[in-house]
Amino acid sequence: TIHNFNIEIDGVVIGGFKEVDGLESTTEVIEYQEGNERVIHKRPGKTNYSNNILRRGNLHTPELWDWRKKVVEGNVERKSGSVIILDNNMEEIVRYNFFEAWPCRWKGPALDSDSNSLLTEEVELCVEWWERS
């Protein structure tokens, strides 16, 4: 399977992924006015980090499924990890480190016996924050 992204959880690469989405952060804008000023001032408020959505065509490695199953059973294990972006030679270009993550959604492959498309699973990680390194 061709992939350009590796996912590392707690220091161990758990596999390659064909698609990663959700590397986004948004900071709330707080507007305020001082006295009778005609200008509205803006300052930063709370920052929110989007969940990371991981899609892959390799269903043979159970790490993400097992982690998700623990959440469903009420045993949330928060973990740190990285989304590692690779070049065409499979060398690391950059990584996005995420913290206090846990799998909040899992989606199995769409099953169609008339299709030749690759079976793909999707896992959504709820993350507290991430940083680029």
Side-chain angles (χ1 to χ4, degrees):
T1 302
I2 296 174
H3 60 275
N4 292 77
F5 317 103
N6 277 340
I7 301 299
E8 183 180 283
I9 306 279
D10 287 345
V12 177
V13 174
I14 62 164
F17 288 74
K18 69 178 211 145
E19 196 174 333
V20 176
D21 194 7
L23 296 172
E24 179 181 348
S25 67
T26 305
T27 302
E28 173 184 37
V29 177
I30 299 172
E31 296 182 345
Y32 66 97
Q33 182 178 4
E34 291 185 2
N36 291 329
E37 284 187 10
R38 296 181 53 103
V39 175
I40 300 293
H41 299 279
K42 297 179 182 183
R43 64 183 176 107
K46 299 174 191 170
T47 297
N48 181 42
Y49 295 87
S50 297
N51 292 346
N52 296 333
I53 300 171
L54 316 174
R55 294 178 188 95
R56 69 177 175 181
N58 180 2
L59 305 177
H60 304 294
T61 53
E63 295 88 358
L64 291 174
W65 171 255
D66 292 344
W67 189 19
R68 172 70 181 141
K69 186 176 176 201
K70 288 179 182 179
V71 171
V72 171
E73 294 169 347
N75 184 18
V76 177
E77 290 183 14
R78 292 177 179 265
K79 299 182 180 189
S80 296
S82 300
V83 175
I84 305 165
I85 300 176
L86 308 170
D87 65 14
N88 290 335
N89 296 319
M90 304 308 283
E91 298 292 326
E92 182 176 326
I93 298 172
V94 68
R95 67 174 51 214
Y96 293 90
N97 302 311
F98 55 84
F99 303 92
E100 297 294 319
W102 54 276
C104 59
R105 185 175 65 86
W106 180 85
K107 180 181 177 184
L111 303 175
D112 181 357
S113 60
D114 291 332
S115 174
N116 290 338
S117 64
L118 183 65
L119 296 177
T120 302
E121 81 174 330
E122 184 174 294
V123 177
E124 184 172 344
L125 298 180
C126 176
V127 299
E128 295 276 326
W129 79 95
W130 56 263
E131 64 188 19
R132 181 181 166 161
S133 67

